[in-house]
Amino acid sequence: MIKDRIESVYTKYYKIILFIPIIFLIISLGIVGTKFIKTGELFDKDVSLKGGITATVYTDKQISVDELKSAIGVDSEVKVLSDFITGRQIGFVISVSDIKSEDLQKTVEVFLGIILTQKNYSVEETGPKLGAAFYNQLMMAILFAFILMGIAVFISFRTPIPSMAVIFSAFTDIMIPLAIINLMGLKVSTAGIVAFLLVIGYSVDTDILLTTWAIKKRHEGRLFDRMYHSMKTGLTMTMCAIAVMAVGIIFTQSFVIKEMFIIILLALITDIFSTYLTNAGILSWYCEKKGIQ
């Protein structure tokens, strides 16, 4: 049986297996730390966090993204809008700082050879101070959410090692996706930070479920059987969420939703390993020391 094979391998090597996510976490901390040393930021911000202009142009005229960026003349990001059914281009979105909205409009008009009006052009402008305020408030929200989550976990289990394992897993689920985003060169918006806030909730549910079955329900069968039962339930929840995120990424035309779903998807995949390798390994070691079978 698959369960017996998993048990034979896991019980023999769990003290080694639990270090796999830890190694990736250390690498991720190095990537994020290097980013912070070089730029003073944990990640690249888009205009909603650092201030700038987001302009949406509706046109079926085919464009070259590289040529448009060159025409704008400053660092910018261009995303093409496509029709969901036909896949035909219906416009594009420009995110840019260090340029006035009037100058951007004139540049795009010259590039496309058309007149931009309220029917085919819209622009949103975020001031640097407002963007910085959004960033600071959202980062504080993540910090307080993480602290309150940790307090709730400690109150629930009242034992340091299992509680710290849950918190460690949640921290891992944030840092590894953040490192991947930095490697991909993606710019994070306010929606992206909100996605990281949601990750805290997504990550701890499987860890709490695992810890509850391992520690609190110690009289319901063997330890591995309880953890295996928890894993089946937790993986079912996680895989359903992964499927939803993947469908959303593929079919949505909203860049905000796509950004959030990418971050949550990376965190869910990370959570599988941090929960069932590291957290489960720590719990197995703890239960072995405490004589919990």
Side-chain angles (χ1 to χ4, degrees), residues 162-173:
S163 299
M164 289 300 296
V166 174
I167 296 171
F168 172 83
S169 180
F171 180 72
T172 302
D173 294 345

Side-chain angles (χ1 to χ4, degrees), residues 3 16 30 47 50 69 77 91 94 122 126 129 132 136 140 152 159-160 185 196 198 201-202 243-244 269 272 280 293:
K3 178 183 175 183
I16 299 175
V47 295
K50 68 179 181 180
K69 287 183 176 181
E77 185 177 4
I94 304 171
S122 64
T126 304
K129 291 184 178 180
N136 292 332
M140 288 299 295
T159 48
F196 279 110
L198 294 173
Y202 270 111
V244 171
I269 295 173
I272 294 175
Q293 301 297 326

Side-chain angles (χ1 to χ4, degrees), residues 51-167:
I53 299 168
T54 301
T56 304
V57 181
Y58 296 98
T59 178
D60 57 2
K61 187 173 182 178
Q62 298 296 314
I63 65 164
S64 169
V65 171
D66 292 334
E67 290 179 3
L68 178 55
K69 287 183 176 181
S70 178
I72 294 172
V74 295
D75 184 37
S76 61
E77 185 177 4
V78 179
K79 300 175 182 177
V80 177
L81 297 172
S82 303
D83 182 82
F84 171 72
I85 298 176
T86 64
R88 181 175 57 88
Q89 178 186 304
I90 59 175
F92 54 90
V93 178
I94 304 171
S95 299
V96 60
S97 302
D98 305 321
I99 190 173
K100 294 181 179 180
S101 59
E102 297 83 1
D103 295 336
L104 176 63
Q105 182 174 346
K106 292 178 182 178
T107 300
V108 175
E109 286 178 336
V110 172
F111 180 82
L112 295 176
I114 62 175
I115 302 298
L116 298 179
T117 65
Q118 292 182 349
K119 293 183 178 180
N120 62 1
Y121 180 77
S122 64
V123 61
E124 297 179 4
E125 190 167 355
T126 304
K129 291 184 178 180
L130 182 60
F134 285 153
Y135 174 76
N136 292 332
Q137 290 173 7
L138 287 170
M139 293 301 288
M140 288 299 295
I142 290 179
L143 178 61
F144 279 115
F146 200 87
I147 292 173
L148 292 174
M149 177 273 294
I151 294 173
V153 169
F154 270 102
I155 292 175
S156 177
F157 297 112
R158 299 178 184 178
T159 48
I161 294 178
S163 299
M164 289 300 296
V166 174
I167 296 171

Side-chain angles (χ1 to χ4, degrees), residues 17 21 35 37 74 86 167 175 193 217 222 235 260 264 282:
I17 293 174
K35 178 74 173 180
I37 292 171
V74 295
T86 64
I167 296 171
M175 294 308 302
I193 297 183
K217 298 189 177 184
R222 298 184 305 130
L235 284 178
M260 294 182 68
I264 295 174
I282 293 173

Side-chain angles (χ1 to χ4, degrees), residues 180-208:
I180 295 173
I181 288 172
N182 284 339
L183 292 176
M184 294 171 64
L186 297 179
K187 293 184 178 180
V188 179
S189 67
T190 52
I193 297 183
V194 171
F196 279 110
L197 190 61
L198 294 173
V199 164
I200 297 175
Y202 270 111
S203 65
V204 298
D205 57 354
T206 50
D207 293 286
I208 290 175

